[in-house]
Amino acid sequence: MSDVLTSHESHESRKEQEQRTAAAQRYREASAERKEIETKLAAGVLYPDTPERIASRVNRLLERGGVPPAAAVESVHAEALDVPETLERVIGLTKDLQPWSFLPRGARAAATVARISILRGGLERPHGTGFLVSPRLLLTNHHVLPDAETARRCFLEFNAQVTIDNAPDAAIRFELAPATFFTADEHLDYALVAVEPAADGSLAGARFGWNQLSNQQGKLVQNEPVNVIGHPMGRLKEIALRDNALVQRLDDFLHYRTDTEPGNSGSPVFNDQWEVVALHHMGVPNTDTQGRILRKDGQIWRRGVDGDDTIDYVSNEGTRTSSILGHLATLPLDPQRRALLAELGPESGFRQDATAGPVETPVAPAVAPAPTPQEAAAVISAPAPAVAGTRVGLRAPKDAFGGRRHLVFLHGRSQQGKDPELLRRGWTGGLNHGLTRAGLPTIDPADVWYPYYGDRIVEVMGQHETLSASYADSPAVAAVEAFAAESAEGTYEQLVMEAAVLAGMPQDGQAATENLASRLVGSLQGALSWLAAKTDVDALAIATIFRDVDAYLGDQAVRNAVLDRVFEEIPHDGELVLVTHSLGTVVGMDLVANRLPLGMKVTLLVTAGSPLGMNAVTSRLAPPGTDRPGTVDEWVNVWCPTDAVAIGCPLEPVWGKLTEEHAVVNASDRAHSIEEYLAHPEVATAIDRFLARSTG
């Protein structure tokens, strides 16, 4: 057995040396371009990249809030600059001035990184680093996991790190599942492998989050900083920040300056907005004219004699994200495995195959690719979906959480046609992510009550769902006009206009961006354009969300049908910990004010992404106004400043003192996501505290 292991390790060592040699050759072959870059840097050019790439980078930064807005405006307009100088200044702001969210978002990115260990000779040994890129897939190097057999002998350790007090954290172990998905490529040095769900069925990505990969340009320009998180030499998690920069971009690889060591193989390379730009795979060694690797003292490095720490590394190399995604797109995969790739994110280039059957393991929340204007127009012009066999909510055991206290999730809009079990798992996954980050025990999805009114609201809202798309290329315009026309007493327009004013729109309705305003004409459309420009929520989504709130508040039949369904599907004794989201916060307020079972109370009410700070909403509650219901003991509100539905937040100026109120930063493309809200440790801690409190 030991001879087999020695042979295996020797083979790995030779492969790694071949990869080092190939990296050194790429470095030498690019020397002419690198010298040109270095000359430009010496001459004072901040970012020696093409004008097209610089412009693409600035657009991505501004669109995704990568530059603190006030700082950008003040700096850019401080003096007259031509276009190239203006663009360079915008990028320059991100090097020395970061929004306050830089550190917490970095912590969230770090949670996705795991130490990979391998079982050899009866011992568990640190082997490399990997990171989650979907709820169920982990990315690392080919030389870490060259084949499925190696993956079967490896396991992951999340939270292999020190706490804020520098004490060792409790590592959480997950097994790999190469039989579910495994692919690897030696040239690009990547391996993508599935992660086995935990014993309770929870997915690794639901607990620790994941990084969405993008094949779009604009993530990095030459001489911008990069950040690397990994487990060098198998140590607890470490991070290399700030004194690093992209040196050169090759066809499939990036060269960058940063301080890494063996064991960082498989680490994510991030830009300052915590987007993955590359998969780190090795240092680039210095070589002589014959291509032989050199030691730091200038002598020839000898494999098997000299250690890795004696090599003279001149750069680091990572495989570009776009190259990995491009290679994955060429693979002949069955529908089940292609469905797993569809979870990589909306910018990965993968779409769910309509012919694929359902994936057996419940899918943790992932963002679908944004629809084209034509697709969106088709959605709003389609008739209400037929609901065959209306789905019902999910109950929990009466003895969960001590038997007297019940955890209830109350969903928001657009949940029709979805599986309540998958929705409950998604919510629970988000909460478990936050609990894990807070160092608290997770919960079982089966212990949560999940009343479900998604199908019921569509049944009674039929006339609200059938709309004519007036503009095929501007579905948001068609939607907002149709929704306003059908709104009782003009209350839909009141909702949108008030939200825009609360978001800072000038009273004359001036649009935030000329581009969007040119398509949205008139005060209502101008308000919608302002909201879309000021938040990270799509204009059509904003229009539809407020339509659903308006329909619920303005149509008593809709309201009664929803409240009746929720009342039927919640526990009727004991106390509730009621967690609500979006339209569900409005439904929840009606519920606790009017429809709770006799003698019940709400120990804790959580509102997330709520419009309850808007007068157009509170004036139409039953009873109207902002008097806190006596059935609610404690109230925690959480909101994201870029969530268009939570524009009326914070709630304390409207409702008075709450138990807690938290402003959080959600991912830019999931600003309104309940899973994002629940993944924040301060939110999860509040819920856990009320679940664990003794009822006497």
Side-chain angles (χ1 to χ4, degrees):
M1 178 68 176
S2 60
D3 291 340
V4 173
L5 290 175
T6 302
S7 173
H8 179 79
E9 291 172 352
S10 176
H11 176 73
E12 283 187 340
S13 179
R14 285 196 298 272
K15 282 291 185 184
E16 192 165 347
Q17 184 177 3
E18 290 173 3
Q19 289 178 331
R20 282 201 191 105
T21 302
Q25 182 176 348
R26 286 191 289 268
Y27 188 80
R28 286 197 310 273
E29 291 173 348
S31 61
E33 180 184 351
R34 188 168 57 255
K35 287 179 181 177
E36 183 179 343
I37 292 171
E38 292 168 352
T39 300
K40 291 180 179 179
L41 286 170
V45 178
L46 295 177
Y47 306 102
D49 218 322
T50 66
E52 293 78 13
R53 288 191 179 276
I54 290 174
S56 177
R57 177 67 176 139
V58 169
N59 286 338
R60 192 174 182 90
L61 284 170
L62 294 176
E63 287 173 0
R64 295 169 182 249
V67 182
V73 172
E74 180 180 351
S75 175
V76 170
H77 294 297
E79 57 186 284
L81 299 171
D82 60 20
V83 172
E85 288 175 317
T86 298
L87 298 181
E88 288 186 353
R89 176 163 290 186
V90 171
I91 298 175
L93 288 170
T94 67
K95 291 184 70 174
D96 303 316
L97 185 64
Q98 289 296 324
W100 73 269
S101 59
F102 176 76
L103 292 178
R105 294 190 75 165
R108 182 168 62 184
T112 69
V113 179
R115 180 167 60 190
I116 300 175
S117 295
I118 191 168
L119 183 64
R120 280 186 182 162
L123 298 176
E124 295 178 351
R125 304 178 182 180
H127 189 55
T129 300
F131 58 101
L132 293 168
V133 293
S134 87
R136 290 178 283 190
L137 295 178
L138 180 106
L139 186 62
T140 186
N141 291 135
H142 173 276
H143 75 261
V144 173
L145 299 179
D147 49 48
E149 178 56 36
T150 303
R152 275 188 283 272
R153 293 191 290 115
C154 290
F155 62 90
L156 308 175
E157 290 178 290
F158 292 93
N159 281 3
Q161 59 200 26
V162 294
T163 67
I164 194 171
D165 298 316
N166 276 332
D169 207 342
I172 299 175
R173 181 165 170 160
F174 273 77
E175 303 295 328
L176 295 174
T180 300
F181 190 101
F182 181 88
T183 188
D185 181 74
E186 185 173 351
H187 168 65
L188 295 177
D189 196 19
Y190 83 86
L192 188 64
V193 61
V195 180
E196 196 75 53
D200 64 359
S202 63
L203 303 178
R207 297 183 68 172
F208 303 103
W210 67 90
N211 304 279
Q212 296 196 56
L213 302 184
S214 172
N215 58 13
Q216 296 187 7
Q217 290 191 4
K219 297 188 292 293
L220 199 66
V221 294
Q222 285 166 176
N223 202 39
E224 253 199 295
V226 295
N227 310 301
V228 181
I229 302 177
H231 292 274
M233 303 299 292
R235 297 193 297 266
L236 296 180
K237 192 179 298 174
E238 297 178 7
I239 181 169
L241 278 174
R242 315 316 303 148
D243 191 21
N244 324 303
L246 174 63
V247 174
Q248 196 170 14
R249 183 189 300 104
L250 307 181
D251 288 343
D252 291 325
F253 300 91
L254 299 180
H255 286 165
Y256 42 92
R257 297 187 304 272
T258 189
D259 187 18
T260 60
E261 298 180 61
N264 264 314
S265 294
S267 297
V269 183
F270 296 102
N271 63 15
D272 273 349
Q273 289 67 53
W274 300 104
E275 297 175 298
V276 177
V277 296
L279 166 67
H280 176 75
H281 81 124
M282 64 176 47
V284 179
N286 193 12
T287 58
D288 63 10
T289 55
Q290 299 178 45
R292 293 177 296 185
I293 297 173
L294 298 178
R295 298 188 316 211
K296 294 174 182 177
D297 61 5
Q299 299 300 309
I300 304 298
W301 180 80
R302 297 164 298 171
R303 183 170 64 87
V305 178
D306 300 321
D308 284 346
D309 58 340
T310 66
I311 296 176
D312 180 23
Y313 287 107
V314 292
S315 181
N316 270 299
E317 186 176 78
T319 308
R320 295 176 61 176
T321 303
S322 55
S323 295
I324 294 173
L325 291 173
H327 185 268
L328 286 170
T330 67
L331 300 178
L333 299 175
D334 59 51
Q336 292 281 338
R337 287 174 172 79
R338 188 151 294 277
L340 286 174
L341 289 186
E343 298 177 8
L344 291 176
E347 294 186 1
S348 66
F350 296 100
R351 298 288 299 268
Q352 175 70 52
D353 187 348
T355 64
V359 180
E360 292 183 2
T361 309
V363 180
V367 180
T372 64
Q374 290 74 20
E375 290 171 333
V379 170
I380 64 172
S381 62
V387 181
T390 302
R391 298 166 181 82
V392 296
L394 304 170
R395 299 174 180 270
K398 290 188 175 181
D399 59 352
F401 307 112
R404 285 290 299 167
R405 191 155 294 176
H406 311 285
L407 178 58
V408 178
F409 291 156
L410 189 54
H411 68 77
R413 58 170 295 277
S414 293
Q415 302 303 299
Q416 67 271 15
K418 297 182 180 179
D419 184 345
E421 177 59 39
L422 293 183
L423 294 173
R424 180 169 68 171
R425 283 186 175 274
W427 282 58
T428 308
L431 178 56
N432 281 343
H433 184 190
L435 292 169
T436 299
R437 293 175 64 193
L440 297 168
T442 58
I443 65 172
D444 188 335
D447 288 338
V448 179
W449 293 74
Y450 195 89
Y452 176 74
Y453 62 87
D455 291 347
R456 183 69 181 122
I457 193 172
V458 170
E459 287 178 335
V460 295
M461 271 182 64
Q463 71 274 20
H464 298 285
E465 292 286 330
T466 307
L467 301 169
S468 173
S470 305
Y471 304 95
D473 60 342
S474 298
V477 175
V480 75
E481 290 182 350
F483 297 154
E486 292 197 354
S487 176
E489 303 176 359
T491 50
Y492 176 76
E493 184 170 352
Q494 182 186 355
L495 276 168
V496 177
M497 293 299 295
E498 182 183 352
V501 171
L502 289 172
M505 185 184 76
Q507 292 300 303
D508 61 3
Q510 178 181 356
T513 60
E514 295 179 4
N515 168 349
L516 195 54
S518 65
R519 296 193 293 116
L520 302 181
V521 183
S523 60
L524 182 58
Q525 292 91 334
L528 183 65
S529 74
W530 180 272
L531 285 169
K534 293 286 284 186
T535 68
D536 288 328
V537 181
D538 176 74
L540 179 59
I542 295 170
T544 309
I545 289 170
F546 284 123
R547 180 280 311 267
D548 290 352
V549 172
D550 178 56
Y552 172 82
L553 291 171
D555 189 324
Q556 195 60 44
V558 173
R559 196 171 197 159
N560 288 338
V562 170
L563 286 172
D564 287 346
R565 176 55 55 86
V566 173
F567 179 84
E568 293 168 2
E569 297 183 348
I570 61 172
H572 282 208
D573 56 50
E575 303 171 3
L576 301 185
V577 174
L578 181 60
V579 182
T580 64
H581 175 238
S582 190
L583 173 61
T585 68
V586 182
V587 177
M589 187 57 67
D590 271 354
L591 177 73
V592 300
N594 305 292
R595 299 295 296 275
L596 275 183
L598 186 64
M600 290 197 70
K601 68 174 183 177
V602 177
T603 305
L604 171 66
L605 172 65
V606 176
T607 49
S610 174
L612 285 171
M614 298 172 59
N615 180 66
V617 173
T618 58
S619 63
R620 297 158 71 195
L621 293 173
T626 56
D627 291 332
R628 183 162 155 179
T631 51
V632 174
D633 285 352
E634 310 284 351
W635 184 355
V636 173
N637 183 57
V638 55
W639 62 289
C640 173
T642 55
D643 178 356
V645 184
I647 288 296
C649 289
L651 296 183
E652 283 194 342
V654 177
W655 287 87
K657 182 65 177 174
L658 306 184
T659 307
E660 296 177 22
E661 186 154 39
H662 301 286
V664 299
V665 177
N666 291 339
S668 60
D669 52 359
R670 300 197 299 277
H672 189 56
S673 164
I674 183 58
E675 290 83 6
E676 285 280 312
Y677 276 118
L678 294 177
H680 291 281
E682 57 268 38
V683 180
T685 298
I687 296 173
D688 177 81
R689 183 168 67 252
F690 286 94
L691 286 176
R693 182 188 294 176
S694 173
T695 59

